[in-house]
mmCIF file of all heavy atoms in Angstrom:
data_model
loop_
_atom_site.group_PDB
_atom_site.id
_atom_site.type_symbol
_atom_site.label_atom_id
_atom_site.label_comp_id
_atom_site.label_asym_id
_atom_site.label_seq_id
_atom_site.Cartn_x
_atom_site.Cartn_y
_atom_site.Cartn_z
ATOM 1 N N SER W 17 108.210 56.610 290.124
ATOM 2 C CA SER W 17 108.378 57.079 288.739
ATOM 3 C C SER W 17 107.056 57.036 287.986
ATOM 4 O O SER W 17 106.739 57.953 287.217
ATOM 5 C CB SER W 17 109.423 56.218 288.032
ATOM 6 O OG SER W 17 109.540 56.577 286.683
ATOM 7 N N LEU W 18 106.299 55.980 288.231
ATOM 8 C CA LEU W 18 105.013 55.859 287.554
ATOM 9 C C LEU W 18 104.053 56.954 287.998
ATOM 10 O O LEU W 18 103.315 57.527 287.187
ATOM 11 C CB LEU W 18 104.406 54.479 287.838
ATOM 12 C CG LEU W 18 103.125 54.115 287.095
ATOM 13 C CD1 LEU W 18 103.355 54.157 285.589
ATOM 14 C CD2 LEU W 18 102.644 52.730 287.511
ATOM 15 N N ARG W 19 104.080 57.270 289.320
ATOM 16 C CA ARG W 19 103.224 58.360 289.813
ATOM 17 C C ARG W 19 103.650 59.692 289.233
ATOM 18 O O ARG W 19 102.824 60.514 288.862
ATOM 19 C CB ARG W 19 103.303 58.423 291.347
ATOM 20 C CG ARG W 19 102.266 57.592 292.058
ATOM 21 C CD ARG W 19 102.095 58.034 293.509
ATOM 22 N NE ARG W 19 103.354 58.217 294.206
ATOM 23 C CZ ARG W 19 104.008 57.270 294.867
ATOM 24 N NH1 ARG W 19 103.505 56.048 294.888
ATOM 25 N NH2 ARG W 19 105.133 57.518 295.485
ATOM 26 N N ALA W 20 104.960 59.902 289.170
ATOM 27 C CA ALA W 20 105.462 61.191 288.684
ATOM 28 C C ALA W 20 105.142 61.400 287.212
ATOM 29 O O ALA W 20 104.956 62.539 286.765
ATOM 30 C CB ALA W 20 106.970 61.272 288.909
ATOM 31 N N GLU W 21 105.076 60.303 286.445
ATOM 32 C CA GLU W 21 104.849 60.429 285.008
ATOM 33 C C GLU W 21 103.455 59.935 284.618
ATOM 34 O O GLU W 21 103.235 59.468 283.505
ATOM 35 C CB GLU W 21 105.907 59.643 284.241
ATOM 36 C CG GLU W 21 107.318 60.187 284.456
ATOM 37 C CD GLU W 21 108.346 59.423 283.652
ATOM 38 O OE1 GLU W 21 108.013 58.312 283.188
ATOM 39 O OE2 GLU W 21 109.462 59.932 283.468
ATOM 40 N N ALA W 22 102.513 60.053 285.540
ATOM 41 C CA ALA W 22 101.159 59.554 285.285
ATOM 42 C C ALA W 22 100.530 60.240 284.081
ATOM 43 O O ALA W 22 99.839 59.620 283.274
ATOM 44 C CB ALA W 22 100.295 59.744 286.529
ATOM 45 N N LEU W 23 100.769 61.562 283.951
ATOM 46 C CA LEU W 23 100.173 62.287 282.832
ATOM 47 C C LEU W 23 100.727 61.807 281.499
ATOM 48 O O LEU W 23 100.019 61.737 280.499
ATOM 49 C CB LEU W 23 100.402 63.789 282.999
ATOM 50 C CG LEU W 23 99.612 64.458 284.133
ATOM 51 C CD1 LEU W 23 99.962 65.937 284.218
ATOM 52 C CD2 LEU W 23 98.102 64.293 283.898
ATOM 53 N N ARG W 24 102.019 61.478 281.485
ATOM 54 C CA ARG W 24 102.625 60.998 280.245
ATOM 55 C C ARG W 24 101.986 59.684 279.795
ATOM 56 O O ARG W 24 101.831 59.429 278.604
ATOM 57 C CB ARG W 24 104.129 60.770 280.442
ATOM 58 C CG ARG W 24 104.949 62.019 280.578
ATOM 59 C CD ARG W 24 106.405 61.675 280.398
ATOM 60 N NE ARG W 24 107.279 62.807 280.720
ATOM 61 C CZ ARG W 24 108.586 62.821 280.523
ATOM 62 N NH1 ARG W 24 109.159 61.749 280.002
ATOM 63 N NH2 ARG W 24 109.304 63.863 280.835
ATOM 64 N N MET W 25 101.641 58.845 280.769
ATOM 65 C CA MET W 25 101.115 57.531 280.437
ATOM 66 C C MET W 25 99.596 57.522 280.293
ATOM 67 O O MET W 25 99.006 56.475 280.020
ATOM 68 C CB MET W 25 101.505 56.531 281.533
ATOM 69 C CG MET W 25 102.986 56.520 281.856
ATOM 70 S SD MET W 25 104.010 56.142 280.413
ATOM 71 C CE MET W 25 103.602 54.426 280.159
ATOM 72 N N LEU W 26 98.967 58.669 280.448
ATOM 73 C CA LEU W 26 97.510 58.724 280.440
ATOM 74 C C LEU W 26 96.926 58.246 279.118
ATOM 75 O O LEU W 26 96.016 57.404 279.075
ATOM 76 C CB LEU W 26 97.034 60.154 280.739
ATOM 77 C CG LEU W 26 95.513 60.363 280.746
ATOM 78 C CD1 LEU W 26 94.882 59.515 281.845
ATOM 79 C CD2 LEU W 26 95.180 61.831 280.943
ATOM 80 N N LEU W 27 97.430 58.786 278.006
ATOM 81 C CA LEU W 27 96.889 58.407 276.710
ATOM 82 C C LEU W 27 97.194 56.946 276.382
ATOM 83 O O LEU W 27 96.391 56.259 275.750
ATOM 84 C CB LEU W 27 97.433 59.319 275.618
ATOM 85 C CG LEU W 27 96.838 60.731 275.589
ATOM 86 C CD1 LEU W 27 97.545 61.587 274.557
ATOM 87 C CD2 LEU W 27 95.351 60.687 275.329
ATOM 88 N N SER W 28 98.352 56.471 276.821
ATOM 89 C CA SER W 28 98.649 55.055 276.618
ATOM 90 C C SER W 28 97.662 54.203 277.394
ATOM 91 O O SER W 28 97.154 53.193 276.890
ATOM 92 C CB SER W 28 100.077 54.748 277.092
ATOM 93 O OG SER W 28 100.345 53.370 276.981
ATOM 94 N N ALA W 29 97.377 54.602 278.623
ATOM 95 C CA ALA W 29 96.380 53.874 279.413
ATOM 96 C C ALA W 29 95.017 53.934 278.752
ATOM 97 O O ALA W 29 94.242 52.966 278.811
ATOM 98 C CB ALA W 29 96.315 54.457 280.816
ATOM 99 N N LEU W 30 94.711 55.053 278.087
ATOM 100 C CA LEU W 30 93.410 55.174 277.419
ATOM 101 C C LEU W 30 93.259 54.141 276.311
ATOM 102 O O LEU W 30 92.170 53.583 276.111
ATOM 103 C CB LEU W 30 93.265 56.593 276.839
ATOM 104 C CG LEU W 30 91.935 56.904 276.134
ATOM 105 C CD1 LEU W 30 90.770 56.690 277.071
ATOM 106 C CD2 LEU W 30 91.946 58.323 275.585
ATOM 107 N N ALA W 31 94.344 53.852 275.590
ATOM 108 C CA ALA W 31 94.280 52.826 274.555
ATOM 109 C C ALA W 31 93.948 51.467 275.163
ATOM 110 O O ALA W 31 93.147 50.698 274.620
ATOM 111 C CB ALA W 31 95.610 52.756 273.798
ATOM 112 N N VAL W 32 94.551 51.157 276.324
ATOM 113 C CA VAL W 32 94.258 49.890 277.000
ATOM 114 C C VAL W 32 92.818 49.883 277.503
ATOM 115 O O VAL W 32 92.103 48.879 277.373
ATOM 116 C CB VAL W 32 95.236 49.668 278.168
ATOM 117 C CG1 VAL W 32 94.940 48.346 278.871
ATOM 118 C CG2 VAL W 32 96.666 49.686 277.671
ATOM 119 N N VAL W 33 92.376 51.001 278.065
ATOM 120 C CA VAL W 33 91.005 51.089 278.592
ATOM 121 C C VAL W 33 89.991 50.813 277.483
ATOM 122 O O VAL W 33 89.045 50.026 277.657
ATOM 123 C CB VAL W 33 90.760 52.482 279.216
ATOM 124 C CG1 VAL W 33 89.273 52.676 279.515
ATOM 125 C CG2 VAL W 33 91.562 52.645 280.491
ATOM 126 N N LEU W 34 90.181 51.436 276.334
ATOM 127 C CA LEU W 34 89.232 51.245 275.228
ATOM 128 C C LEU W 34 89.257 49.814 274.719
ATOM 129 O O LEU W 34 88.213 49.215 274.443
ATOM 130 C CB LEU W 34 89.561 52.224 274.098
ATOM 131 C CG LEU W 34 89.322 53.705 274.402
ATOM 132 C CD1 LEU W 34 89.781 54.564 273.226
ATOM 133 C CD2 LEU W 34 87.854 53.970 274.698
ATOM 134 N N GLY W 35 90.442 49.241 274.570
ATOM 135 C CA GLY W 35 90.532 47.868 274.083
ATOM 136 C C GLY W 35 89.883 46.880 275.038
ATOM 137 O O GLY W 35 89.103 46.012 274.621
ATOM 138 N N VAL W 36 90.167 47.007 276.332
ATOM 139 C CA VAL W 36 89.576 46.100 277.320
ATOM 140 C C VAL W 36 88.073 46.334 277.428
ATOM 141 O O VAL W 36 87.290 45.386 277.608
ATOM 142 C CB VAL W 36 90.264 46.282 278.687
ATOM 143 C CG1 VAL W 36 89.539 45.492 279.778
ATOM 144 C CG2 VAL W 36 91.720 45.839 278.611
ATOM 145 N N ALA W 37 87.638 47.584 277.316
ATOM 146 C CA ALA W 37 86.197 47.878 277.377
ATOM 147 C C ALA W 37 85.458 47.179 276.245
ATOM 148 O O ALA W 37 84.345 46.661 276.439
ATOM 149 C CB ALA W 37 85.965 49.383 277.311
ATOM 150 N N PHE W 38 86.054 47.156 275.070
ATOM 151 C CA PHE W 38 85.435 46.464 273.927
ATOM 152 C C PHE W 38 85.315 44.967 274.223
ATOM 153 O O PHE W 38 84.290 44.338 273.970
ATOM 154 C CB PHE W 38 86.285 46.701 272.684
ATOM 155 C CG PHE W 38 85.548 46.483 271.390
ATOM 156 C CD1 PHE W 38 86.182 46.701 270.169
ATOM 157 C CD2 PHE W 38 84.231 46.055 271.372
ATOM 158 C CE1 PHE W 38 85.517 46.505 268.976
ATOM 159 C CE2 PHE W 38 83.550 45.849 270.181
ATOM 160 C CZ PHE W 38 84.196 46.063 268.985
#
Side-chain angles (χ1 to χ4, degrees):
S17 176
L18 186 59
R19 269 199 313 271
E21 296 182 344
L23 290 178
R24 289 195 189 187
M25 308 302 291
L26 179 62
L27 286 174
S28 176
L30 182 58
V32 180
V33 169
L34 292 176
V36 172
F38 201 178

